[in-house]
Amino acid sequence: MLRGVRDRVRATPALARLLSLASLLLVAAAAHSGARAGGIAWLPLLVAGVVLALVTGATAHRWPLPAIWLVVTLLAAAGGTLVSVAWLVGALIGGAVALAAALFLDTAALRRARRSGTRP
């Protein structure tokens, strides 16, 4: 079922771009609301953004989601009153770990090709 959804989305490039943008906006909204309001209100937004990106296959790379999380978290922190410093530190550490993991996964094919001596 998921493969069928992914294939239909990729068959329509405009829809894929729209869903990719929607997933980035949901993750950005989660980071902003988490930094400003706290609680767990940000969690459904984050889950929806990640699930939308993964289920539809809208993003070719994984790194934009944690990158937008980090950027919006830093912007929210620079913009005014935060819920707590602990939430900010946790969000930044979690985002940095997620970004490193996403970059590692996104470059796996390139590293594999370099080891085997071929170009991707």
Side-chain angles (χ1 to χ4, degrees):
M1 182 176 99
L2 295 178
R3 186 170 292 158
V5 170
R6 224 178 268 139
D7 292 341
R8 284 191 294 275
V9 168
R10 288 184 180 153
T12 311
L15 181 60
R17 285 191 302 270
L18 178 67
L19 291 175
S20 178
L21 181 61
S23 66
L24 287 171
L25 289 173
L26 283 168
V27 171
H32 190 269
S33 70
R36 295 298 181 146
I40 61 166
W42 58 273
L43 193 57
L45 293 170
L46 179 63
V47 170
V50 171
V51 167
L52 181 64
L54 294 177
V55 168
T56 61
T59 57
H61 301 287
R62 293 168 188 91
W63 67 266
L65 292 176
I68 196 74
W69 173 268
L70 285 171
V71 168
V72 173
T73 301
L74 287 171
L75 287 174
T81 309
L82 293 174
V83 170
S84 72
V85 175
W87 191 94
L88 177 66
V89 170
L92 291 176
I93 290 172
V97 168
L99 182 60
L103 287 171
F104 181 79
L105 291 172
D106 284 345
T107 58
L110 181 62
R111 288 190 316 274
R112 218 176 6 257
R114 282 188 183 161
R115 278 194 303 267
S116 67
T118 61
R119 296 199 95 128

XYZ file of all heavy atoms in Angstrom:
857
model
N 0.818 -1.185 0.000
C 0.000 0.000 0.000
C 0.870 1.261 0.000
O 0.610 2.180 -0.763
C -0.915 0.000 1.215
C -1.827 1.206 1.247
S -2.975 1.161 2.607
C -2.139 2.213 3.739
N 1.882 1.291 0.855
C 2.733 2.473 0.917
C 3.502 2.674 -0.386
O 3.715 3.800 -0.816
C 3.707 2.374 2.088
C 3.072 2.386 3.467
C 4.134 2.245 4.538
C 2.267 3.636 3.675
N 3.925 1.581 -0.997
C 4.641 1.679 -2.263
C 3.742 2.291 -3.332
O 4.178 3.105 -4.135
C 5.134 0.301 -2.706
C 5.998 0.390 -3.944
C 6.676 -0.901 -4.236
N 7.648 -1.127 -3.178
C 8.136 -2.306 -2.857
N 7.750 -3.370 -3.492
N 9.013 -2.427 -1.881
N 2.459 1.933 -3.333
C 1.515 2.505 -4.288
C 1.329 3.997 -4.079
O 1.275 4.765 -5.041
N 1.235 4.405 -2.821
C 1.105 5.834 -2.519
C 2.348 6.575 -2.984
O 2.277 7.617 -3.628
C 0.876 6.054 -1.002
C 0.977 7.519 -0.634
C -0.459 5.487 -0.590
N 3.521 6.011 -2.678
C 4.787 6.634 -3.070
C 4.894 6.760 -4.590
O 5.316 7.785 -5.111
C 5.940 5.796 -2.531
C 7.009 6.622 -1.921
C 8.120 5.777 -1.349
N 7.832 5.499 0.047
C 8.015 4.344 0.637
N 8.500 3.334 -0.001
N 7.727 4.210 1.901
N 4.492 5.725 -5.303
C 4.563 5.758 -6.771
C 3.623 6.800 -7.356
O 3.968 7.505 -8.298
C 4.246 4.376 -7.353
C 5.320 3.353 -7.047
O 6.455 3.763 -6.709
O 5.018 2.146 -7.135
N 2.425 6.917 -6.803
C 1.478 7.920 -7.303
C 1.968 9.339 -7.031
O 1.800 10.234 -7.848
C 0.103 7.700 -6.683
C -0.646 6.537 -7.301
C -2.101 6.500 -6.871
N -2.267 6.238 -5.455
C -2.293 5.031 -4.900
N -2.142 3.965 -5.642
N -2.478 4.892 -3.609
N 2.573 9.549 -5.875
C 3.094 10.884 -5.552
C 4.241 11.244 -6.482
O 4.314 12.349 -7.005
C 3.538 10.963 -4.076
C 4.334 12.217 -3.800
C 2.323 10.900 -3.170
N 5.145 10.300 -6.719
C 6.290 10.574 -7.581
C 5.888 10.741 -9.037
O 6.611 11.372 -9.806
C 7.319 9.471 -7.443
C 8.030 9.550 -6.108
C 9.111 8.531 -5.997
N 9.767 8.648 -4.698
C 10.362 7.660 -4.092
N 10.397 6.474 -4.655
N 10.931 7.848 -2.926
N 4.744 10.199 -9.410
C 4.264 10.369 -10.787
C 3.786 11.797 -11.030
O 3.677 12.231 -12.173
C 3.138 9.377 -11.080
N 3.492 12.512 -9.981
C 3.052 13.895 -10.082
C 4.075 14.776 -9.373
O 4.002 14.973 -8.161
C 1.667 14.073 -9.415
O 0.796 13.066 -9.901
C 1.088 15.436 -9.707
N 5.049 15.330 -10.118
C 6.110 16.103 -9.467
C 5.601 17.287 -8.654
O 6.156 17.598 -7.605
C 6.977 16.568 -10.636
C 6.695 15.619 -11.731
C 5.271 15.183 -11.536
N 4.543 17.940 -9.106
C 4.020 19.087 -8.360
C 3.490 18.643 -6.991
O 3.698 19.323 -5.985
C 2.921 19.781 -9.153
N 2.834 17.499 -6.951
C 2.317 16.977 -5.686
C 3.470 16.593 -4.753
O 3.419 16.859 -3.551
C 1.409 15.773 -5.932
C 0.780 15.132 -4.698
C -0.091 16.138 -3.958
C -0.016 13.912 -5.096
N 4.515 16.006 -5.307
C 5.673 15.637 -4.494
C 6.321 16.872 -3.881
O 6.695 16.870 -2.709
C 6.682 14.865 -5.341
N 6.443 17.933 -4.673
C 7.026 19.173 -4.140
C 6.130 19.775 -3.064
O 6.615 20.274 -2.047
C 7.265 20.173 -5.265
C 8.453 19.836 -6.126
C 8.821 20.975 -7.047
N 7.747 21.382 -7.931
C 7.534 20.870 -9.142
N 8.323 19.938 -9.614
N 6.540 21.303 -9.875
N 4.828 19.753 -3.286
C 3.883 20.291 -2.313
C 3.947 19.521 -0.998
O 3.990 20.115 0.086
C 2.467 20.264 -2.878
C 1.361 20.754 -1.963
C 1.523 22.248 -1.712
C 0.009 20.469 -2.561
N 3.975 18.203 -1.065
C 4.043 17.395 0.148
C 5.384 17.547 0.855
O 5.453 17.527 2.086
C 3.766 15.932 -0.181
C 2.330 15.632 -0.603
C 2.198 14.177 -1.022
C 1.347 15.979 0.489
N 6.445 17.714 0.088
C 7.749 17.949 0.686
C 7.756 19.265 1.458
O 8.254 19.344 2.584
C 8.820 17.963 -0.405
O 10.070 18.234 0.131
N 7.196 20.290 0.863
C 7.103 21.582 1.532
C 6.198 21.496 2.763
O 6.514 22.059 3.815
C 6.579 22.642 0.559
C 6.453 24.057 1.100
C 7.812 24.566 1.543
C 5.868 24.964 0.048
N 5.089 20.768 2.646
C 4.177 20.613 3.783
C 4.861 19.896 4.948
O 4.684 20.281 6.108
C 2.927 19.854 3.357
N 5.651 18.883 4.651
C 6.341 18.172 5.733
C 7.376 19.078 6.405
O 7.519 19.058 7.626
C 6.996 16.888 5.218
O 8.029 17.172 4.313
N 8.087 19.891 5.625
C 9.036 20.834 6.216
C 8.323 21.863 7.089
O 8.807 22.218 8.171
C 9.833 21.534 5.123
C 10.893 20.698 4.422
C 11.440 21.439 3.217
C 11.996 20.324 5.371
N 7.175 22.342 6.625
C 6.432 23.327 7.410
C 5.884 22.737 8.703
O 5.857 23.411 9.742
C 5.301 23.925 6.569
C 5.742 24.863 5.452
C 4.556 25.252 4.584
C 6.425 26.092 6.018
N 5.454 21.484 8.661
C 4.971 20.844 9.879
C 6.099 20.675 10.899
O 5.904 20.908 12.102
C 4.345 19.484 9.558
C 2.946 19.535 8.961
C 2.552 18.169 8.420
C 1.942 20.018 9.985
N 7.283 20.294 10.435
C 8.420 20.156 11.347
C 8.821 21.526 11.899
O 9.135 21.663 13.081
C 9.600 19.456 10.634
C 10.862 19.507 11.476
C 9.235 18.015 10.321
N 8.792 22.550 11.053
C 9.108 23.902 11.512
C 8.097 24.377 12.556
O 8.473 24.980 13.571
C 9.146 24.864 10.325
N 6.827 24.109 12.309
C 5.800 24.495 13.277
C 5.986 23.760 14.601
O 5.777 24.328 15.678
C 4.415 24.216 12.702
N 6.391 22.497 14.531
C 6.632 21.728 15.754
C 7.780 22.334 16.553
O 7.682 22.493 17.780
C 6.943 20.275 15.402
N 8.858 22.679 15.876
C 10.011 23.260 16.578
C 9.642 24.600 17.209
O 10.001 24.884 18.355
C 11.174 23.437 15.608
N 8.909 25.414 16.490
C 8.534 26.730 17.007
C 7.581 26.615 18.183
O 7.763 27.279 19.210
C 7.918 27.574 15.895
C 7.725 28.989 16.290
N 6.568 29.445 16.866
C 8.556 30.052 16.222
C 6.685 30.732 17.126
N 7.883 31.126 16.746
N 6.565 25.780 18.055
C 5.604 25.665 19.155
C 6.242 24.989 20.368
O 5.897 25.310 21.505
C 4.348 24.912 18.717
O 4.630 23.557 18.497
N 7.186 24.080 20.141
C 7.869 23.462 21.270
C 8.716 24.455 22.032
O 8.745 24.445 23.261
N 9.404 25.311 21.298
C 10.265 26.299 21.944
C 9.454 27.382 22.646
O 9.866 27.902 23.681
C 11.189 26.937 20.909
N 8.312 27.726 22.115
C 7.506 28.816 22.681
C 6.478 28.367 23.706
O 6.284 29.021 24.714
C 6.768 29.563 21.556
C 7.654 30.270 20.606
C 8.438 31.325 21.332
N 9.274 32.019 20.370
C 9.573 33.274 20.448
N 9.142 33.979 21.445
N 10.346 33.825 19.546
N 5.776 27.254 23.413
C 4.670 26.853 24.278
C 5.009 25.691 25.195
O 4.419 25.549 26.259
C 3.457 26.479 23.423
N 5.936 24.852 24.791
C 6.296 23.702 25.608
C 5.231 22.632 25.579
O 4.467 22.514 24.629
N 5.173 21.860 26.631
C 4.209 20.771 26.688
C 4.489 19.742 25.615
O 5.616 19.569 25.169
N 3.438 19.051 25.203
C 3.594 18.079 24.130
C 2.795 18.462 22.897
O 2.602 17.649 22.005
C 3.209 16.663 24.597
C 1.750 16.624 25.034
C 4.130 16.164 25.679
C 1.217 15.224 25.183
N 2.347 19.692 22.824
C 1.560 20.148 21.668
C 2.370 20.094 20.380
O 1.807 19.959 19.301
C 1.051 21.565 21.917
N 3.680 20.166 20.476
C 4.533 20.141 19.294
C 4.725 18.737 18.739
O 5.017 18.558 17.556
C 5.913 20.733 19.624
C 6.604 20.015 20.734
C 6.474 20.268 22.063
C 7.506 18.922 20.614
N 7.255 19.396 22.785
C 7.900 18.556 21.918
C 8.024 18.217 19.541
C 8.781 17.515 22.169
C 8.905 17.182 19.791
C 9.276 16.846 21.091
N 4.546 17.719 19.567
C 4.818 16.347 19.162
C 3.937 15.860 18.010
O 4.457 15.261 17.056
C 4.721 15.419 20.368
C 5.260 14.017 20.180
C 6.719 14.038 19.752
C 5.102 13.227 21.472
N 2.620 16.089 18.007
C 1.820 15.654 16.864
C 2.233 16.332 15.549
O 2.186 15.711 14.484
C 0.381 16.034 17.237
C 0.389 16.165 18.703
C 1.766 16.597 19.090
N 2.652 17.584 15.627
C 3.115 18.266 14.419
C 4.391 17.623 13.879
O 4.533 17.426 12.667
C 3.368 19.744 14.710
C 2.153 20.595 15.032
C 2.587 21.962 15.533
C 1.265 20.727 13.814
N 5.307 17.299 14.773
C 6.557 16.660 14.362
C 6.288 15.285 13.760
O 6.814 14.947 12.693
C 7.506 16.541 15.553
C 8.850 15.871 15.268
C 9.648 16.686 14.265
C 9.624 15.699 16.561
N 5.464 14.503 14.415
C 5.137 13.168 13.916
C 4.450 13.263 12.560
O 4.783 12.522 11.625
C 4.268 12.400 14.938
C 3.712 11.124 14.339
C 5.080 12.099 16.186
N 3.514 14.191 12.418
C 2.818 14.348 11.138
C 3.785 14.741 10.020
O 3.694 14.224 8.899
C 1.710 15.393 11.266
N 4.715 15.636 10.301
C 5.680 16.049 9.286
C 6.594 14.928 8.860
O 6.832 14.720 7.662
N 7.099 14.168 9.815
C 8.002 13.059 9.491
C 7.249 11.950 8.765
O 7.728 11.412 7.758
C 8.686 12.534 10.767
C 9.457 11.257 10.503
C 9.609 13.594 11.340
N 6.062 11.609 9.240
C 5.273 10.560 8.592
C 4.894 10.975 7.174
O 4.975 10.167 6.242
C 4.024 10.213 9.436
C 3.037 9.368 8.656
C 4.445 9.514 10.712
N 4.503 12.218 6.986
C 4.162 12.694 5.647
C 5.352 12.575 4.703
O 5.209 12.119 3.568
C 3.685 14.141 5.703
C 3.277 14.775 4.375
C 2.074 14.059 3.787
C 2.989 16.241 4.567
N 6.517 12.944 5.166
C 7.709 12.853 4.321
C 8.075 11.403 4.016
O 8.451 11.080 2.889
C 8.877 13.559 4.993
N 7.965 10.524 4.988
C 8.358 9.130 4.793
C 7.337 8.324 4.000
O 7.705 7.552 3.115
C 8.607 8.458 6.141
C 9.796 8.986 6.932
C 9.876 8.292 8.282
C 11.089 8.815 6.159
N 6.067 8.479 4.318
C 5.027 7.676 3.670
C 4.888 8.032 2.191
O 4.760 7.152 1.352
C 3.674 7.833 4.394
C 2.530 7.258 3.594
C 3.744 7.169 5.751
N 4.938 9.299 1.890
C 4.759 9.704 0.498
C 6.055 9.655 -0.294
O 6.033 9.677 -1.515
C 4.192 11.127 0.401
O 5.107 12.034 1.006
C 2.837 11.228 1.054
N 7.178 9.588 0.393
C 8.456 9.592 -0.319
C 8.719 10.916 -0.997
O 9.399 10.989 -2.021
N 8.166 11.983 -0.431
C 8.234 13.295 -1.066
C 9.642 13.876 -1.060
O 9.998 14.643 -1.935
C 7.274 14.264 -0.375
N 10.438 13.516 -0.076
C 11.785 14.065 -0.028
C 12.780 13.032 -0.527
O 12.736 11.869 -0.144
C 12.158 14.476 1.411
O 12.012 13.332 2.248
C 11.282 15.596 1.902
N 13.679 13.461 -1.383
C 14.709 12.558 -1.891
C 15.816 12.372 -0.860
O 16.488 11.353 -0.842
C 15.281 13.105 -3.191
N 15.999 13.342 -0.007
C 17.030 13.292 1.024
C 16.379 13.424 2.388
O 15.322 14.014 2.532
C 18.042 14.418 0.830
C 18.712 14.364 -0.500
N 19.660 13.423 -0.812
C 18.557 15.126 -1.607
C 20.066 13.608 -2.053
N 19.406 14.628 -2.556
N 17.053 12.920 3.385
C 16.519 12.949 4.748
C 16.967 14.168 5.544
O 16.337 14.517 6.528
C 16.947 11.682 5.479
C 16.319 10.435 4.920
C 17.006 9.209 5.499
N 16.569 8.006 4.846
C 17.152 7.475 3.778
N 18.207 8.040 3.254
N 16.685 6.373 3.242
N 18.043 14.809 5.164
C 18.633 15.866 5.986
C 17.795 17.140 6.110
O 17.951 17.847 7.108
C 20.040 16.224 5.501
C 20.098 16.867 4.160
C 20.293 16.259 2.971
C 19.964 18.250 3.874
N 20.277 17.165 1.949
C 20.078 18.399 2.487
C 19.745 19.376 4.660
C 19.978 19.636 1.872
C 19.644 20.609 4.034
C 19.764 20.716 2.664
N 16.907 17.499 5.177
C 16.182 18.770 5.367
C 15.281 18.811 6.607
O 15.123 19.876 7.204
C 15.349 18.907 4.095
C 16.093 18.138 3.067
C 16.673 16.971 3.815
N 14.705 17.687 7.001
C 13.804 17.714 8.164
C 14.539 18.069 9.459
O 14.121 18.998 10.166
C 13.070 16.380 8.299
C 12.053 16.082 7.193
C 11.467 14.690 7.390
C 10.968 17.121 7.152
N 15.641 17.384 9.814
C 16.328 17.812 11.041
C 16.998 19.178 10.894
O 17.147 19.907 11.879
C 17.354 16.709 11.308
C 17.454 15.936 10.069
C 16.200 16.139 9.297
N 17.376 19.544 9.677
C 17.996 20.858 9.480
C 16.986 21.966 9.754
O 17.313 22.953 10.425
C 18.560 20.971 8.064
N 15.763 21.807 9.250
C 14.752 22.843 9.490
C 14.382 22.871 10.973
O 14.101 23.933 11.526
C 13.514 22.660 8.580
C 12.675 23.936 8.550
C 12.642 21.519 9.014
C 13.266 25.027 7.744
N 14.403 21.713 11.626
C 14.149 21.658 13.072
C 15.174 22.504 13.811
O 14.824 23.316 14.668
C 14.199 20.208 13.545
C 14.128 20.050 15.019
C 15.178 19.990 15.883
C 12.949 19.962 15.823
N 14.723 19.853 17.174
C 13.361 19.835 17.163
C 11.597 19.966 15.535
C 12.463 19.713 18.210
C 10.696 19.846 16.582
C 11.125 19.726 17.903
N 16.449 22.325 13.488
C 17.508 23.080 14.157
C 17.401 24.577 13.882
O 17.532 25.401 14.791
C 18.880 22.564 13.719
C 19.312 21.234 14.315
C 20.584 20.737 13.638
C 19.515 21.366 15.801
N 17.169 24.937 12.640
C 17.104 26.354 12.274
C 15.947 27.043 12.979
O 16.113 28.121 13.563
C 16.995 26.512 10.741
C 16.633 27.930 10.360
C 18.294 26.094 10.076
N 14.774 26.445 12.947
C 13.606 27.083 13.572
C 13.743 27.105 15.091
O 13.341 28.081 15.735
C 12.305 26.396 13.123
C 11.107 26.912 13.887
C 12.100 26.601 11.632
N 14.326 26.075 15.674
C 14.549 26.086 17.115
C 15.482 27.229 17.504
O 15.226 27.955 18.476
C 15.132 24.742 17.588
O 14.219 23.700 17.234
C 15.348 24.724 19.079
N 16.557 27.413 16.744
C 17.473 28.517 17.030
C 16.816 29.875 16.811
O 17.039 30.806 17.590
C 18.725 28.385 16.171
C 19.679 27.265 16.583
C 20.769 27.090 15.538
C 20.265 27.545 17.944
N 16.011 29.994 15.758
C 15.299 31.259 15.515
C 14.304 31.565 16.624
O 14.175 32.705 17.054
C 14.591 31.229 14.164
C 15.480 31.348 12.937
C 14.666 31.151 11.672
C 16.189 32.686 12.915
N 13.592 30.551 17.088
C 12.640 30.758 18.185
C 13.381 31.148 19.455
O 12.911 31.994 20.224
C 11.811 29.499 18.412
N 14.552 30.549 19.682
C 15.332 30.881 20.871
C 15.859 32.305 20.791
O 15.901 33.013 21.801
C 16.491 29.905 21.030
N 16.250 32.729 19.612
C 16.784 34.081 19.453
C 15.684 35.138 19.464
O 15.945 36.302 19.756
C 17.556 34.183 18.143
N 14.457 34.721 19.197
C 13.373 35.673 19.046
C 12.684 36.107 20.313
O 11.891 37.030 20.296
N 12.947 35.458 21.416
C 12.249 35.908 22.619
C 12.212 34.874 23.712
O 13.095 34.037 23.841
N 11.146 34.903 24.478
C 10.988 34.078 25.664
C 10.805 32.608 25.294
O 9.996 32.268 24.441
C 9.762 34.525 26.476
O 9.853 35.935 26.675
C 9.710 33.824 27.803
N 11.561 31.762 25.975
C 11.465 30.323 25.769
C 10.742 29.675 26.927
O 10.659 30.231 28.014
C 12.864 29.710 25.665
C 13.680 30.094 24.459
C 15.072 29.516 24.583
C 13.026 29.601 23.201
N 10.252 28.478 26.677
C 9.599 27.722 27.742
C 10.627 27.325 28.777
O 10.468 27.580 29.961
C 8.905 26.474 27.162
C 8.428 25.549 28.249
C 7.757 26.893 26.283
N 11.701 26.686 28.345
C 12.756 26.302 29.281
C 14.058 26.086 28.517
O 14.050 25.723 27.346
C 12.391 25.024 30.043
O 12.468 23.908 29.195
N 15.133 26.301 29.207
C 16.452 26.076 28.617
C 16.677 24.583 28.410
O 17.308 24.175 27.435
C 17.548 26.698 29.507
C 18.928 26.367 28.984
C 17.359 28.201 29.602
N 16.138 23.763 29.298
C 16.283 22.309 29.163
C 15.643 21.816 27.873
O 16.203 20.955 27.185
C 15.670 21.605 30.369
N 14.454 22.335 27.533
C 13.812 21.938 26.282
C 14.671 22.363 25.107
O 14.852 21.590 24.152
C 12.414 22.572 26.159
C 11.652 21.969 25.025
C 10.779 20.932 25.102
C 11.718 22.339 23.643
N 10.306 20.640 23.853
C 10.859 21.481 22.937
C 12.419 23.295 22.925
C 10.675 21.553 21.557
C 12.252 23.370 21.550
C 11.381 22.513 20.879
N 15.208 23.563 25.157
C 16.045 24.064 24.069
C 17.286 23.199 23.887
O 17.620 22.808 22.765
C 16.452 25.514 24.339
C 17.397 26.137 23.316
C 16.716 26.271 21.970
C 17.889 27.483 23.809
N 17.965 22.874 24.971
C 19.167 22.037 24.883
C 18.810 20.649 24.344
O 19.494 20.113 23.468
C 19.869 21.951 26.259
C 20.971 20.909 26.262
C 20.413 23.312 26.647
N 17.734 20.072 24.844
C 17.293 18.757 24.353
C 16.938 18.784 22.881
O 17.274 17.866 22.123
N 16.242 19.841 22.463
C 15.851 19.960 21.056
C 17.066 20.138 20.155
O 17.127 19.573 19.054
C 14.897 21.133 20.879
N 18.035 20.910 20.605
C 19.235 21.121 19.799
C 20.096 19.863 19.729
O 20.611 19.519 18.652
C 20.043 22.299 20.348
C 19.391 23.668 20.179
C 20.233 24.745 20.844
C 19.157 23.994 18.714
N 20.239 19.147 20.840
C 21.010 17.907 20.824
C 20.299 16.855 19.976
O 20.921 16.192 19.141
C 21.256 17.398 22.255
C 22.241 18.329 22.969
C 21.781 15.965 22.254
C 22.411 18.028 24.438
N 18.998 16.720 20.161
C 18.232 15.768 19.355
C 18.278 16.103 17.872
O 18.413 15.218 17.028
N 18.159 17.377 17.549
C 18.229 17.794 16.150
C 19.600 17.563 15.543
O 19.713 17.142 14.383
N 20.653 17.806 16.311
C 22.013 17.578 15.808
C 22.270 16.098 15.574
O 22.863 15.719 14.554
C 23.034 18.158 16.785
N 21.804 15.254 16.485
C 21.963 13.804 16.305
C 21.154 13.333 15.091
O 21.645 12.541 14.278
C 21.541 13.055 17.586
C 21.422 11.561 17.350
C 22.525 13.340 18.708
N 19.933 13.829 14.949
C 19.104 13.451 13.799
C 19.722 13.928 12.496
O 19.690 13.217 11.490
C 17.694 14.017 13.964
N 20.298 15.129 12.494
C 20.942 15.644 11.287
C 22.164 14.803 10.919
O 22.371 14.469 9.746
C 21.336 17.108 11.471
C 21.988 17.787 10.270
C 21.058 17.784 9.064
C 22.383 19.203 10.618
N 22.969 14.444 11.909
C 24.141 13.602 11.637
C 23.719 12.238 11.092
O 24.315 11.734 10.127
C 24.974 13.443 12.902
N 22.680 11.650 11.677
C 22.193 10.355 11.190
C 21.636 10.465 9.775
O 21.881 9.594 8.930
C 21.126 9.804 12.140
N 20.901 11.535 9.503
C 20.331 11.725 8.164
C 21.425 11.925 7.121
O 21.358 11.361 6.023
C 19.378 12.916 8.168
N 22.439 12.701 7.459
C 23.550 12.893 6.530
C 24.303 11.587 6.304
O 24.715 11.278 5.176
C 24.500 13.971 7.038
C 23.970 15.403 6.946
C 24.899 16.356 7.673
C 23.776 15.812 5.503
N 24.480 10.800 7.351
C 25.134 9.505 7.219
C 24.339 8.599 6.277
O 24.909 7.958 5.398
C 25.288 8.850 8.592
C 25.967 7.528 8.560
C 27.341 7.454 8.447
C 25.243 6.354 8.645
C 27.987 6.231 8.412
C 25.867 5.126 8.604
C 27.244 5.061 8.494
N 23.016 8.552 6.449
C 22.180 7.722 5.586
C 22.136 8.244 4.149
O 22.121 7.457 3.199
C 20.766 7.626 6.148
C 20.624 6.841 7.437
C 19.217 6.987 7.999
C 20.974 5.385 7.213
N 22.094 9.565 3.994
C 22.028 10.144 2.651
C 23.313 9.948 1.855
O 23.290 9.920 0.631
C 21.701 11.636 2.724
C 20.240 11.892 3.021
O 19.434 10.949 2.899
O 19.902 13.033 3.381
N 24.429 9.821 2.540
C 25.702 9.663 1.833
C 26.174 8.212 1.789
O 27.280 7.943 1.338
C 26.792 10.528 2.491
O 26.933 10.149 3.855
C 26.462 12.009 2.380
N 25.347 7.278 2.229
C 25.745 5.868 2.259
C 26.064 5.343 0.858
O 27.056 4.631 0.673
C 24.651 5.028 2.903
N 25.264 5.670 -0.135
C 25.512 5.187 -1.496
C 26.820 5.733 -2.051
O 27.569 5.018 -2.724
C 24.355 5.571 -2.414
N 27.107 6.974 -1.757
C 28.355 7.584 -2.219
C 29.570 6.916 -1.562
O 30.556 6.607 -2.229
C 28.345 9.083 -1.917
C 29.558 9.882 -2.354
C 29.713 9.821 -3.862
C 29.429 11.313 -1.895
N 29.479 6.660 -0.260
C 30.582 5.989 0.423
C 30.774 4.574 -0.092
O 31.901 4.111 -0.285
C 30.335 5.970 1.932
C 30.493 7.313 2.596
C 30.479 7.204 4.117
N 29.445 6.331 4.638
C 28.191 6.695 4.889
N 27.819 7.934 4.647
N 27.326 5.842 5.384
N 29.685 3.873 -0.358
C 29.755 2.512 -0.887
C 30.413 2.509 -2.262
O 31.244 1.658 -2.566
C 28.342 1.928 -0.965
C 28.246 0.512 -0.623
C 26.833 -0.058 -0.613
N 25.746 0.780 -1.049
C 24.870 1.388 -0.239
N 24.986 1.256 1.061
N 23.895 2.117 -0.722
N 30.052 3.478 -3.097
C 30.620 3.557 -4.443
C 32.112 3.887 -4.394
O 32.891 3.363 -5.193
C 29.883 4.617 -5.257
N 32.524 4.716 -3.467
C 33.944 5.052 -3.341
C 34.767 3.844 -2.918
O 35.882 3.655 -3.375
C 34.139 6.182 -2.336
C 33.800 7.513 -2.901
C 34.199 8.604 -1.949
N 33.799 9.891 -2.473
C 33.686 10.970 -1.751
N 33.954 10.932 -0.461
N 33.309 12.110 -2.293
N 34.195 3.039 -2.021
C 34.923 1.832 -1.576
C 35.065 0.831 -2.708
O 36.077 0.153 -2.816
C 34.205 1.188 -0.404
C 34.521 1.834 0.920
C 34.073 0.960 2.075
N 32.650 0.649 2.036
C 31.710 1.340 2.660
N 32.040 2.393 3.368
N 30.456 0.977 2.587
N 34.040 0.709 -3.542
C 34.103 -0.269 -4.615
C 34.833 0.268 -5.850
O 35.117 -0.468 -6.779
C 32.697 -0.720 -5.013
O 31.999 0.350 -5.602
N 35.107 1.555 -5.869
C 35.854 2.148 -6.975
C 35.005 2.592 -8.149
O 35.521 2.950 -9.191
N 33.698 2.570 -8.007
C 32.807 3.036 -9.082
C 32.164 4.334 -8.690
O 32.153 4.718 -7.539
C 31.690 1.980 -9.363
O 30.924 1.817 -8.165
C 32.287 0.665 -9.805
N 31.601 4.996 -9.656
C 30.894 6.253 -9.404
C 29.407 5.993 -9.377
O 28.905 5.236 -10.186
C 31.217 7.258 -10.507
C 32.695 7.623 -10.498
C 32.821 8.873 -11.238
N 32.793 9.950 -10.279
C 33.706 10.887 -10.235
N 34.682 10.892 -11.084
N 33.628 11.839 -9.350
N 28.672 6.640 -8.489
C 27.200 6.418 -8.414
C 26.475 6.986 -9.609
O 26.895 7.846 -10.278
C 26.791 7.139 -7.134
C 27.885 8.069 -6.798
C 29.126 7.552 -7.460
